[in-house]
Amino acid sequence: MHATKRICNATGKVCKKNTSLKCPFLRFIGDALPASSFDSVYKTFRLHCPFLRTAPDLSKPQNPAMQVGTLSTCAQAPAVQEKSPHQSGNPAVESVDIPENMISEVVSKKESARPKSLPVNAMQSLENKLETLREEGKYRTFVDVERHVGEFPSATWHNPNATERPIQVWCNNDYLGMGQHEDVIEAMCEATKTCGAGAGGTRNISGTTIYHTKLEKELAEVHDMESALVFSSGFVANEAAISTIAKQLPGCEIFSDAKNHASMIEGVRNARVPKHIWRHNDLEHLEELLEARKDAPNKLIVFESVYSMDGDIAPIEEICDLADKYQALTYIDEVHAVGLYGEKGGGVAQLRGLSDRITVISGTLGKAYGVHGGYIAGPSVVVDAVRSFAPGFIFTTSIPPAVAAGALASVRYLKKSSKERDLQKERAEFMKKQLAEKCIPFINSESHIIPVMVGDAKLCKKGADLLMERFGIYVQPINYPTVPVGTERYRFTPGPLHDEEMIVEAVEALDEVWSALNIDRASASTAN
């Protein structure tokens, strides 16, 4: 950028480097500032400078000339007619002294506002990408929700304008409300009082407590497996286990369903072994790929039981048949099924009597179990290999003992109680009937997940905002990259704590939003 001749509009003098001018706005700011830095610095000087106080506010650009990254502080200042110190109007600014502490404060703000490690072109590139997301309606915002123990799904929304509003939560993955169950809360409080807040280290270095050990034993029993291993999250469990198992088996090749979760995709990618992607739930395509690589020394088939965005369920038995035929290992992700399906909450494989045909099961403690963390369960030798070789397990701090204790209480409770999952299924079926009556397009899957289809990112965001602001219905818009462009949706997860009256009111709100925004009631070809 060429140097700009800086004329102070307040004094009419040239501002030179190391000048003794009393206007620190020119003296310390420099030729140009990114918009992110300019606003805070300019507003501070505006409070003290007699000229800037009476001039139009430059932090709110009024013409296209003020572009991010090219704002020259003196070149952009509005021109004013010079007046003699004896004339009425602006005071003689040359006699104004700016307090040194104020100057130091602003200079400090300027330095801290501009990341030294982020060049202007890099910052601009990132800003452009974020702006593209906003324009396409794909920019994601956090919703500040305060849940209240004993009142779920009721909660409080702390919105951006610093006000509060009562809402109902309809997109929660705490499917059974176990995050507020008295047994879970009591266990977590007791463990905190006993062991303190944090784990204190990795599992290998002081981060294993009796709660971790008992939890892993309980999970192995729930899944009828020899062993289990707890991770810091379900994402980490999948990435670490898949990549490690494939790396440790000589000549291993991975066969992955096309709609697998991002955590599984990362595991496949990080394994750095040959991979083959089979069309979603397409058994013929899977067999075709297996047949082509039948001589590979080791084969690992990775898939999910319940696919969370469409709510469909994999043909587990048929996949296991192919695994037996081609001597492949099976890795099933049951994160949206554990606690919800099966006699002991072991997932869809357990529900269908197929647990003994699965090599490794991965699950989460943060959805139906209502706490936090992830895990795998399987043969002892496989679990031990992951424990011994997976960086995602070895080099990460263990989950806190209170979290392990709460998860343990939840797993034990749902191992014996089925009333919550039975009621949840009833609620899901009731909501599907209500949606059908109102001609709201949804995917009528066999699982508890109800995808309500919109098909447009901007409409999806507008509809979600309207549901929240007008009706107090909180459901998050789901768009790319979570789902393909053109299949944007809301993902409803009614649970045992959503009663029928709530469901009727939620569907009526959807009906009004569909009419208000003129959303196609047959926008999804997959809806039934």
Side-chain angles (χ1 to χ4, degrees):
M1 177 183 293
H2 296 293
T4 303
K5 185 177 181 181
R6 296 172 291 176
I7 305 295
C8 178
N9 284 321
T11 65
K13 297 181 180 180
V14 176
C15 178
K16 300 177 181 178
K17 199 147 190 160
N18 299 320
T19 181
S20 59
L21 279 175
K22 296 182 183 292
C23 178
F25 190 70
L26 291 176
R27 181 179 173 189
F28 290 103
I29 298 303
D31 290 331
L33 276 177
S36 57
S37 302
F38 175 79
D39 286 353
S40 61
V41 177
Y42 172 82
K43 287 175 182 177
T44 302
F45 274 107
R46 188 177 171 83
L47 296 175
H48 299 274
C49 177
F51 167 73
L52 291 176
R53 273 203 306 268
T54 59
D57 189 348
L58 294 183
S59 65
K60 299 177 181 178
Q62 314 242 330
N63 61 71
M66 295 187 179
Q67 299 295 324
V68 173
T70 61
L71 188 55
S72 178
T73 54
C74 45
Q76 299 291 348
V80 295
Q81 184 178 357
E82 260 190 88
K83 293 188 178 182
S84 162
H86 303 290
Q87 287 180 286
S88 60
N90 284 345
V93 295
E94 288 157 322
S95 63
V96 176
D97 287 315
I98 307 297
E100 287 299 324
N101 62 338
M102 191 274 288
I103 295 174
S104 299
E105 177 187 350
V106 174
V107 172
S108 175
K109 283 185 178 180
K110 174 196 171 185
E111 294 301 320
S112 61
R114 183 185 300 174
K116 293 182 174 61
S117 60
L118 190 61
V120 173
N121 62 336
M123 182 166 60
Q124 189 64 60
S125 296
L126 295 175
E127 287 177 347
N128 290 342
K129 290 182 181 296
L130 291 171
E131 186 57 34
T132 298
L133 285 180
R134 294 185 185 96
E135 291 173 355
E136 294 176 348
K138 300 173 185 175
Y139 184 76
R140 303 183 183 203
T141 57
F142 292 142
V143 177
D144 192 346
V145 175
E146 179 185 0
R147 302 200 299 172
H148 307 293
V149 174
E151 299 179 20
F152 189 77
S154 296
T156 298
W157 172 38
H158 298 268
N159 62 37
N161 62 14
T163 60
E164 298 178 1
R165 191 199 198 289
I167 60 170
Q168 289 178 359
V169 180
W170 287 89
C171 54
N172 201 300
N173 281 339
D174 185 359
Y175 295 127
L176 304 178
M178 290 302 295
Q180 302 190 22
H181 196 280
E182 58 184 5
D183 289 1
V184 175
I185 294 174
E186 183 179 349
M188 294 186 74
C189 290
E190 184 60 32
T192 301
K193 292 176 182 178
T194 302
C195 298
T202 66
R203 288 292 299 275
N204 291 311
I205 306 175
S206 79
T208 297
T209 69
I210 187 64
Y211 298 111
H212 296 81
T213 304
K214 287 183 176 180
L215 174 59
E216 289 172 343
K217 181 179 179 182
E218 196 72 31
L219 289 168
E221 291 179 2
V222 164
H223 291 290
D224 301 309
M225 293 290 187
E226 293 178 350
S227 185
L229 190 66
V230 172
F231 292 79
S232 56
S233 73
F235 191 106
V236 174
N238 275 336
E239 188 285 323
I242 293 172
S243 61
T244 300
I245 292 170
K247 281 180 180 177
Q248 298 306 316
L249 294 175
C252 185
E253 299 190 14
I254 298 177
F255 299 80
S256 178
D257 187 283
K259 288 193 176 181
N260 276 341
H261 187 263
S263 59
M264 304 177 78
I265 294 171
E266 283 301 300
V268 172
R269 180 181 293 123
N270 293 337
R272 295 184 177 89
V273 300
K275 63 179 184 291
H276 313 276
I277 312 302
W278 47 292
R279 291 187 293 271
H280 179 56
N281 284 346
D282 188 331
L283 295 167
E284 290 184 5
H285 189 216
L286 173 59
E287 181 163 21
E288 177 185 327
L289 295 175
L290 287 168
E291 175 66 28
R293 302 302 303 156
K294 62 183 179 182
D295 294 330
N298 285 289
K299 294 170 281 288
L300 178 64
I301 304 174
V302 297
F303 62 103
E304 301 181 37
S305 59
V306 178
Y307 288 85
S308 64
M309 288 300 113
D310 289 344
D312 57 330
I313 296 178
I316 302 173
E317 184 173 11
E318 291 82 356
I319 292 173
C320 290
D321 289 342
L322 290 175
D324 291 344
K325 180 177 179 179
Y326 291 95
Q327 296 183 318
L329 287 73
T330 51
Y331 183 105
I332 187 170
D333 176 308
E334 292 255 34
V335 297
H336 291 279
V338 293
L340 295 167
Y341 301 88
E343 181 184 0
K344 297 184 289 184
V348 179
Q350 184 175 89
L351 176 69
R352 297 179 176 178
L354 300 169
S355 296
D356 61 332
R357 302 189 65 187
I358 300 294
T359 309
V360 177
I361 292 175
S362 74
T364 182
L365 304 169
K367 292 184 170 59
Y369 288 128
V371 191
H372 180 77
Y375 67 89
I376 62 168
S380 294
V381 66
V382 176
V383 173
D384 198 23
V386 174
R387 183 187 69 86
S388 301
F389 295 109
F393 176 80
I394 297 172
F395 298 104
T396 228
T397 299
S398 174
I399 62 172
V403 172
L408 174 61
S410 185
V411 172
R412 283 177 171 172
Y413 179 87
L414 291 176
K415 183 180 177 182
K416 298 178 180 178
S417 176
S418 61
K419 64 180 182 180
E420 290 80 10
R421 44 184 172 261
D422 291 341
L423 187 55
Q424 191 239 21
K425 291 176 180 61
E426 292 179 15
R427 297 290 189 253
E429 288 305 312
F430 181 77
M431 187 168 195
K432 290 175 182 178
K433 291 179 181 178
Q434 297 298 309
L435 290 167
E437 289 178 6
K438 295 290 186 180
C439 295
I440 304 293
F442 69 96
I443 298 178
N444 190 10
S445 70
E446 57 182 312
S447 76
H448 59 285
I449 296 168
I450 307 177
V452 174
M453 307 303 290
V454 179
D456 179 271
K458 291 183 178 180
L459 281 178
C460 203
K461 179 65 169 64
K462 287 180 181 178
D465 291 344
L466 195 56
L467 285 167
M468 181 78 102
E469 294 164 5
R470 184 181 296 181
F471 302 100
I473 300 295
Y474 173 40
V475 59
Q476 191 73 15
I478 307 295
N479 51 40
Y480 181 84
T482 306
V483 296
V485 173
T487 67
E488 292 79 9
R489 67 196 68 185
Y490 305 125
R491 181 179 173 276
F492 279 82
T493 55
L497 300 179
H498 293 88
D499 60 34
E500 291 189 353
E501 182 180 353
M502 292 177 183
I503 293 173
V504 170
E505 291 175 353
V507 173
E508 288 177 350
L510 279 170
D511 186 43
E512 289 193 38
V513 168
W514 246 250
S515 297
L517 298 181
N518 195 29
I519 301 175
D520 189 355
R521 292 181 185 263
S523 61
S525 60
T526 53
N528 294 301

